[in-house]
Amino acid sequence: MYDTILVATDGSDPSEAAVDRALDLANQYDATLHALSVVDTRVYADVDIRSEPVFDLLEAQAQETVDAVAEAGTTANVSVVTAVGHGSPASAIVDYASDHDVDVVVVGTHGRRGIRRVLLGSVAERVVRNCPVPVLTVRGGEHESDDTSHPR
């Protein structure tokens, strides 16, 4: 059913939950897991970020994040391919899925609601809306809510 699984990770609690789920799926289906972390360069549109020391730091953090997935894959007996993307996280995830013939994408979600969701947006939501393959969203970490009157 799944030969190639993509997990997008930024090292946050929700993405760690997504990594765990993706490792389980890859193990269950004997699939290759692709781990992608994206350096969001959109906020640096007016500067050549690649010449800035901050870019090196962001790149190193992204590489550490996918290297941790590869290490977890070794423990779980799952083949892992790592990659670091650049630009808009949602666009980079969708592009990677398309370019690498991925069967399913696994992403974490913070589960934001209300004004936080509107203001902060949702990478997971944009991936779900634009990805040409199925997307599994995994909620993880602290539940954030602006409206405590609605139970989860």
Side-chain angles (χ1 to χ4, degrees):
M1 177 177 229
Y2 300 125
D3 293 320
T4 307
I5 298 169
L6 171 61
V7 64
T9 180
D10 62 6
S12 66
D13 287 343
S15 69
E16 290 301 313
V19 166
D20 290 343
R21 183 63 55 92
L23 284 166
D24 287 344
L25 281 174
N27 191 291
Q28 179 179 354
Y29 290 102
D30 195 29
T32 299
L33 179 63
H34 289 240
L36 173 66
S37 187
V38 180
V39 177
D40 189 348
T41 57
R42 295 172 302 168
V43 295
Y44 303 100
D46 294 336
V47 296
D48 181 12
I49 181 96
R50 294 187 189 272
S51 67
E52 299 293 322
V54 69
F55 179 80
D56 293 337
L57 178 61
L58 294 172
E59 182 92 9
Q61 287 175 336
Q63 188 62 54
E64 287 175 14
T65 301
V66 294
D67 287 347
V69 177
E71 191 174 310
T74 299
T75 302
N77 199 29
V78 170
S79 175
V80 177
V81 175
T82 64
V84 173
H86 304 93
S88 161
S91 295
I93 294 165
V94 170
D95 290 347
Y96 190 97
S98 297
D99 293 346
H100 292 86
D101 199 25
V102 168
D103 297 311
V104 64
V105 176
V106 183
V107 294
T109 179
H110 289 274
R112 291 187 180 102
R113 295 179 180 216
I115 194 70
R116 284 189 180 165
R117 181 169 163 245
V118 172
L119 292 176
L120 298 174
S122 169
V123 170
E125 182 177 348
R126 285 186 295 254
V127 171
V128 167
R129 289 179 189 245
N130 296 302
C131 198
V133 299
V135 178
L136 173 62
T137 60
V138 180
R139 184 176 284 182
E142 294 297 317
H143 298 293
E144 299 180 26
S145 176
D146 291 329
D147 184 351
T148 59
S149 65
H150 293 16
R152 298 206 176 249

